[in-house]
């Protein structure tokens, strides 16, 4: 799923950068988003650092059997707190959920990538 989502992001949103296992500085230390899409501005902010000081625009988590709801909720909150615009959660069957805030329900689609859908 990770490779497929990275490919789709690269294809559907030109002009940014797709990263896998993307390190992000959060209030709870460095966390790694499974996949991220960063605008050119966020890439410039990264500079030569090894870790994003501000979260990429889109942070994606791909669920595995070992993930708990609490763990994913915490990561979502940390990504949003660090400046993510959207957080996507990919279920084990490829179903996607798009969040624009840590507290709200999933959106029907991504605002940054309106042609996204099932991975």
């Amino acid at each position: 799923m990770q490779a497929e989502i990275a490919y789709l992001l690269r294809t559907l949103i030109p002009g940014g950068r797709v990263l896998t296992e993307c390190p992000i500085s959060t209030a709870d230390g460095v966390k790694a988003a499974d996949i991220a899409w960063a605008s050119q501005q966020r890439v410039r902010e990264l500079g030569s650092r090894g870790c994003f000081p501000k979260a990429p625009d889109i942070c994606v988590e791909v669920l595995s059997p070992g993930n708990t709801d609490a763990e994913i909720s915490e990561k979502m909150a940390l990504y949003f707190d660090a400046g993510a615009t959207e957080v996507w959660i990919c279920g084990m069957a490829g179903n996607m959920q798009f969040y624009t805030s840590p507290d709200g329900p999933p959106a029907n689609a991504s605002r940054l990538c309106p042609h996204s859908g099932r991975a």
Side-chain angles (χ1 to χ4, degrees):
M1 292 296 177
Q2 188 175 19
E4 194 66 27
I5 294 167
Y7 170 77
L8 289 170
L9 280 169
R10 188 174 300 111
T11 302
L12 296 173
I13 316 177
R17 186 166 175 199
V18 177
L19 304 113
T20 57
E21 302 302 324
C22 178
I24 303 162
S25 180
T26 75
D28 190 32
V30 175
K31 301 294 180 190
D34 292 326
I35 308 118
W37 180 86
S39 64
Q40 291 300 326
Q41 174 63 32
R42 299 275 171 102
V43 172
R44 281 191 293 277
E45 291 170 5
L46 173 64
S48 61
R49 294 180 191 96
C51 176
F52 275 84
K54 182 176 181 183
D57 304 78
I58 299 172
C59 296
V60 184
E61 286 295 319
V62 178
L63 298 182
S64 65
N67 292 125
T68 65
D69 290 342
E71 173 190 8
I72 296 303
S73 293
E74 180 182 0
K75 276 188 147 183
M76 279 181 45
L78 289 167
Y79 295 154
F80 280 119
D81 183 60
T85 303
E86 295 184 1
V87 175
W88 300 3
I89 307 298
C90 178
M92 289 182 277
N95 53 314
M96 297 293 292
Q97 292 183 317
F98 307 98
Y99 293 88
T100 56
S101 75
D103 302 322
N108 291 330
S110 166
R111 291 185 202 159
L112 297 175
C113 185
H115 300 293
S116 58
R118 190 172 191 272

